[in-house]
């Protein structure tokens, strides 16, 4: 709509529109300070509107504000979250905090797959400079807040973090006479790191690195969400129903659960939702891990290793002593397809042996430690390696939060918060997730 107005500087006719809300000639969008273009003057001026323009502008802004307020005041009434790993549990928790009680559907149990078998290492700034930098920093802070507020032991503590190179101990060598032991002590490494280890360097300290027990955290988030009204339903997601271009429900074990908002948070299985929604191709990379129980407590030093196994395979294992006295070791990749059922995932025995070899090589305290768990899980991966977070393009009420790779535990709380904001309030305000929007992969 074009309406005639006059330039307040020279009086010549100009034009204005409801969209711009002021004279195009005499003022820029952010203020009434542009000089008149008609006579070349640079004198700051202000736009003068026809009375009708001002009235229509006021009506336009009032209508827009009312619509935005209504969107905030009326969050979805029936939210179904598909997946109860760290991401789904965190979304359910933060939605519950905002007064939205979601139904969470999980095939087996809370954190039954990747989230229950992850290491739980946390870093404040290791993602800085990338698309998830702000998300990681916020989530690092939220982990501390959750540890203080959830009222459960989630295995959280601040830690020291080191990088090093390691190799299998030579036959007949003992940890007391390995080449790496004396240099390790001189480098300030912990006493338990007495094996064939070299090139030790600090990567972080208690100000910038921490750890949490992922399964305990996921369960604590779900418990807290349920206390605020959320529901956990065990069953298989078989379909997502739509009417036109809007979600209407989720079929679980043959029964439809009505919904006006559905979140895909199924980790590496999120790609299966492509049968029902236009979501990106989320896949999985399998990794093995073990949990040992040494007789003596091991200090809070996280270890990132470069290691060549006795069979000649180069791997990058990670060693995480936990506050409960156990030691988690991961980092042996396996290359097989993602199975349909997470309960069928089993570790390759050779991968478990490789990780036990790592333990024997780096520390006498771990050499004979009993094996509590040997396991594998699939890290969820997106086509471009970045998380996929936001609205599913073209389908009202459909959302996805997946593809977090090895940083899923770190970024879980912040992902839960910003997705809850997006679902309940219409916009993610704590962190800009525009670069993670699913639309980029459409």
């Amino acid at each position: 709509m074009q309406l005639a107005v006059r330039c307040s500087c020279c009086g010549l006719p100009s034009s204005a529109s409801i969209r711009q809300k002021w004279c195009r000639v005499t003022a820029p969008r952010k203020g009434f300070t542009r000089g008149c273009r008609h006579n070349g003057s640079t004198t700051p001026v202000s736009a003068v509107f026809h009375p009708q323009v001002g009235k229509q502008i006021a009506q336009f802004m009032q209508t827009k504000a009312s619509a935005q307020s209504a969107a905030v005041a009326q969050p979805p009434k029936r939210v179904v979250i598909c997946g109860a790993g760290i991401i789904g549990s965190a979304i359910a928790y933060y939605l519950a905090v905002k007064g939205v009680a979601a139904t969470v559907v999980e095939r087996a149990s809370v954190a039954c797959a990747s989230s229950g078998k992850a290491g739980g290492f946390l870093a404040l700034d290791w993602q800085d400079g990338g698309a998830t930098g702000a998300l990681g920093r916020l989530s690092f802070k939220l982990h501390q807040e959750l540890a203080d507020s959830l009222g459960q032991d989630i295995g959280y503590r601040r830690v020291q973090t080191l990088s090093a190179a390691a190799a299998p101990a030579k036959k007949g060598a003992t940890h007391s006479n390995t080449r790496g032991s004396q240099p390790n002590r001189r480098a300030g490494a912990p006493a338990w790191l007495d094996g064939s280890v070299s090139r030790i360097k600090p990567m972080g300290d208690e100000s910038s690195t921490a750890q949490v027990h992922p399964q305990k955290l996921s369960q604590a988030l779900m418990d807290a969400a349920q206390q605020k009204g959320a529901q956990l339903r065990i069953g298989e997601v078989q379909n997502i129903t739509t009417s036109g271009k809007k979600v209407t429900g989720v079929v679980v074990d043959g029964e439809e659960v009505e919904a006006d908002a559905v979140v895909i948070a199924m980790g590496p299985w999120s790609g299966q939702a492509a049968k029902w929604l236009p979501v990106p191709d989320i896949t999985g990379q399998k990794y093995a891990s073990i949990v040992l129980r040494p007789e003596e407590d091991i200090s809070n030093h996280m270890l990132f290793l470069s290691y060549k196994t006795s069979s000649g395979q180069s791997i990058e294992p990670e060693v995480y002593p936990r506050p409960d006295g156990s030691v988690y070791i991961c980092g042996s990749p396996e290359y097989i397809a993602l199975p349909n059922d997470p309960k069928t995932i089993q570790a390759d025995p050779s991968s478990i042996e490789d990780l036990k070899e790592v333990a024997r090589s780096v520390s006498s305290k771990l050499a004979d430690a009993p094996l509590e768990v040997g396991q594998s899980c699939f890290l969820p991966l997106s086509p471009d390696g970045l998380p996929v977070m936001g609205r599913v393009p073209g389908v009202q009420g459909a959302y996805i939060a997946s593809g977090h790779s090895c940083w899923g535990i770190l970024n879980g709380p912040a992902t839960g918060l910003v997705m809850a904001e997006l679902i309940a309030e219409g916009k993610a305000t704590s962190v800009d997730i525009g670069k993670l929007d699913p639309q980029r992969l459409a």
Side-chain angles (χ1 to χ4, degrees):
M1 176 180 180
Q2 300 292 328
L3 294 172
V5 295
R6 291 188 177 276
C7 174
S8 61
C9 179
C10 66
L12 294 175
S14 184
S15 64
S17 69
I18 300 300
R19 185 175 182 84
Q20 288 182 296
K21 308 179 186 64
W22 53 72
C23 173
R24 291 175 181 166
V25 173
T26 59
R29 286 177 179 266
K30 293 186 178 180
F32 299 95
T33 57
R34 180 180 293 171
C36 171
R37 290 181 181 175
H38 296 161
N39 59 12
S41 169
T42 57
T43 306
V45 294
S46 60
V48 176
F49 295 110
H50 188 284
Q52 184 64 21
V53 174
K55 181 179 179 180
Q56 290 174 327
I57 291 172
Q59 291 174 343
F60 171 82
M61 295 303 291
Q62 184 177 5
T63 301
K64 182 177 180 182
S66 298
Q68 291 175 336
S69 298
V72 172
Q74 298 177 4
K77 296 180 180 178
R78 300 165 299 181
V79 179
V80 176
I81 301 169
C82 303
I86 182 64
I87 303 299
S89 297
I91 296 172
Y93 171 75
Y94 285 107
L95 278 174
V97 169
K98 295 179 179 297
V100 179
T103 297
V104 184
V105 180
E106 174 54 59
R107 184 163 186 166
S109 60
V110 174
C112 64
S114 307
S115 296
K117 300 173 183 178
F121 176 77
L122 313 173
L124 170 66
D125 53 7
W126 287 19
Q127 299 174 85
D128 281 4
T132 57
L135 189 75
R137 281 184 168 269
L138 172 61
S139 216
F140 189 84
K141 175 185 175 182
L142 292 176
H143 274 285
Q144 176 75 68
E145 293 179 4
L146 292 170
D148 295 337
S149 64
L150 286 175
Q152 295 188 37
D153 175 17
I154 57 173
Y156 178 86
R157 66 176 175 178
R158 296 299 180 101
V159 299
Q160 305 286 338
T161 304
L162 305 170
S163 68
K170 295 180 179 180
K171 272 192 173 182
T174 64
H175 286 85
S176 61
N177 64 17
T178 51
R179 187 163 47 91
S181 59
Q182 292 300 325
N184 290 352
R185 284 195 286 273
R186 289 199 297 271
W192 61 268
L193 195 60
D194 57 2
S196 183
V197 183
S198 61
R199 300 202 302 272
I200 300 173
K201 298 179 181 178
M203 297 180 72
D205 56 28
E206 293 185 13
S207 69
S208 61
T209 55
Q211 70 178 149
V212 71
H213 193 296
Q215 195 281 329
K216 293 180 179 179
L217 172 59
S218 300
Q219 187 65 62
L221 287 167
M222 184 58 65
D223 290 345
Q226 288 180 282
Q227 290 170 8
K228 297 178 183 295
Q231 297 182 25
L232 174 63
R233 177 165 178 167
I234 302 301
E236 181 183 359
V237 174
Q238 298 173 324
N239 193 9
I240 296 172
T241 59
T242 59
S243 177
K245 295 184 178 181
K246 182 177 181 180
V247 297
T248 56
V250 177
V251 177
V252 182
D253 293 338
E255 178 185 350
E256 183 171 0
V257 180
E258 292 184 352
D260 48 9
V262 174
V263 187
I264 303 300
M266 301 188 295
W269 289 274
S270 297
Q272 294 183 356
K275 294 179 289 187
W276 319 304
L277 297 171
V279 299
D281 181 24
I282 305 297
T283 58
Q285 170 63 60
K286 189 181 182 187
Y287 277 89
S289 60
I290 62 175
V291 179
L292 304 177
R293 180 67 63 174
E295 293 183 358
E296 301 179 28
D297 286 343
I298 304 296
S299 65
N300 68 332
H301 288 76
M302 308 294 107
L303 194 59
F304 286 75
L305 294 171
S306 172
Y307 187 87
K308 180 171 285 189
T309 68
S310 56
S311 62
Q313 181 183 10
S314 294
I315 60 176
E316 296 182 341
E318 300 163 16
V319 181
Y320 303 155
R322 286 174 165 170
D324 65 0
S326 66
V327 177
Y328 175 97
I329 304 176
C330 67
S332 184
E334 301 176 17
Y335 301 97
I336 66 170
L338 178 72
N340 185 56
D341 188 346
K343 292 181 290 186
T344 65
I345 297 174
Q346 294 183 344
D348 186 320
S350 64
S351 297
I352 301 302
E353 287 304 315
D354 285 343
L355 295 176
K356 289 166 67 177
E357 178 187 290
V358 171
R360 291 192 299 269
S361 299
V362 300
S363 175
S364 60
K365 302 295 189 295
L366 302 179
D368 299 316
L371 176 68
E372 283 196 347
V373 178
Q375 60 192 5
S376 285
C377 66
F378 285 79
L379 299 179
L381 303 174
S382 73
D384 63 2
L386 292 174
V388 180
M389 296 167 51
R391 296 181 177 90
V392 174
V395 185
Q396 183 179 343
Y399 303 83
I400 184 170
S402 188
H404 290 68
S405 184
C406 61
W407 292 115
I409 303 304
L410 167 62
N411 290 331
T415 297
L417 175 59
V418 297
M419 290 300 296
E421 292 171 345
L422 184 62
I423 295 164
E425 299 164 0
K427 183 179 181 181
T429 54
S430 293
V431 171
D432 181 1
I433 57 172
K435 293 182 179 180
L436 309 179
D437 194 299
Q439 182 65 49
R440 75 182 192 275
L441 299 172

